[in-house]
Amino acid sequence: GAVVSQHPSRVICKSGTSVKIECRSLDFQATTMFWYRQFPKQSLMLMATSNEGSKATYEQGVEKDKFLINHASLTLSTLTVTSAHPEDSSFYICSAALGGSGGTRTRTDTQYFGPGTRLTVL
Amino acid sequence: GENVEQHPSTLSVQEGDSAVIKCTYSDSASNYFPWYKQELGKRPQLIIDIRSNVGEKKDQRIAVTLNKTAKHFSLHITETQPEDSAVYFCAARAGGTSYGKLTFGQGTILTVHP
């Protein structure tokens, strides 16, 4: 259990365009989803915390108007990078934390990561 | 906020040797400490975790120890194999809700030579 998918896996876009990345929890309901950005050879940096049905909480230094997050259901969160620029090129990874009972194999405090989206802005 | 320091940044061992990676954290209220393994271009995968009410946890060749007083925790891999080569991240979760955010260490590139 606890499978998280992300789409697309790779995207190349022109500078100034917007890109939407989807994160889905496939076999559990995710009360909370997290969005991270990872530059080459660096650690995961949390961008924002997304709770279903409410506004996302952004980390300091992350522009909420540039990185739009929507968590419309317990299984889907989306990140839209608006007016993308080359410096936005990075590996974007989502994670999902379980909400509810979950059973024996999926625990409530573990974050399960998606496969990531490689964004390249030309 | 929470700050997690991880050492070493790179670690090279011979197959069969043990590897130890250490992390320190700053927030004494942190109560959950997972370790993730990430292969190049792939997602981080949870390999072991420990909660603040436990001092040590072991799963086959992998163990984690936690010293709450000193605010540090370590990952121990015994009998290393080439497939253990990857980047390892420690993380700490602040106290409070179960869905609190994780703060990650800088990562350790582990290379196991055959």
Side-chain angles (χ1 to χ4, degrees):
Chain A
V3 179
V4 177
S5 70
Q6 215 172 312
H7 180 80
S9 58
R10 188 180 299 267
V11 58
I12 301 172
C13 69
K14 292 182 179 180
S15 184
T17 60
S18 294
V19 175
K20 180 185 281 189
I21 302 170
E22 291 186 348
C23 178
R24 294 180 184 272
S25 56
L26 299 184
D27 54 358
F28 67 101
Q29 292 184 327
T31 302
T32 306
M33 288 184 172
F34 302 87
W35 286 95
Y36 295 85
R37 182 167 50 183
Q38 186 177 34
F39 292 108
K41 297 185 178 181
Q42 293 190 23
S43 186
L44 290 87
M45 298 301 296
L46 180 67
M47 300 175 66
T49 302
S50 170
N51 292 294
E52 185 265 339
S54 63
K55 291 184 178 180
T57 302
Y58 289 82
E59 294 300 299
Q60 191 172 8
V62 178
E63 299 175 58
K64 62 180 181 181
D65 294 331
K66 180 171 181 63
F67 298 100
L68 302 178
I69 291 172
N70 184 281
H71 194 160
S73 75
L74 286 172
T75 60
L76 173 64
S77 177
T78 60
L79 167 69
T80 301
V81 183
T82 62
S83 187
H85 291 284
E87 57 266 30
D88 297 324
S89 298
S90 187
F91 192 49
Y92 291 85
I93 311 176
C94 70
S95 72
L98 176 70
S101 59
T104 58
R105 296 187 63 188
T106 309
R107 300 173 305 183
T108 57
D109 54 10
T110 300
Q111 287 189 26
Y112 299 92
F113 283 86
T117 297
R118 175 75 58 192
L119 171 63
T120 303
V121 185
L122 302 177
Chain B
E2 175 67 277
N3 182 48
V4 178
E5 297 287 332
Q6 183 173 345
H7 298 281
S9 56
T10 61
L11 180 58
S12 183
V13 300
Q14 288 296 128
E15 182 177 3
D17 288 350
S18 294
V20 180
I21 303 171
K22 298 181 179 181
C23 288
T24 60
Y25 60 99
S26 61
D27 188 350
S28 57
S30 289
N31 58 12
Y32 175 64
F33 308 91
W35 285 88
Y36 288 87
K37 175 183 179 182
Q38 186 181 30
E39 298 178 357
L40 188 62
K42 297 190 176 180
R43 78 183 81 194
Q45 291 192 311
L46 179 71
I47 57 172
I48 197 167
D49 56 12
I50 191 167
R51 289 170 179 78
S52 57
N53 59 347
V54 176
E56 184 174 355
K57 183 177 178 181
K58 189 174 181 180
D59 183 3
Q60 299 184 335
R61 297 187 297 110
I62 296 173
V64 56
T65 58
L66 171 65
N67 183 326
K68 287 180 58 181
T69 303
K71 289 188 286 187
H72 68 69
F73 56 112
S74 301
L75 176 71
H76 303 253
I77 305 175
T78 59
E79 300 173 29
T80 54
Q81 303 166 1
E83 49 266 39
D84 293 330
S85 297
V87 182
Y88 290 80
F89 293 99
C90 64
R93 186 191 66 199
T97 70
S98 295
Y99 316 124
K101 62 182 184 182
L102 294 175
T103 300
F104 283 83
Q106 297 86 348
T108 296
I109 301 172
L110 173 64
T111 304
V112 180
H113 298 282

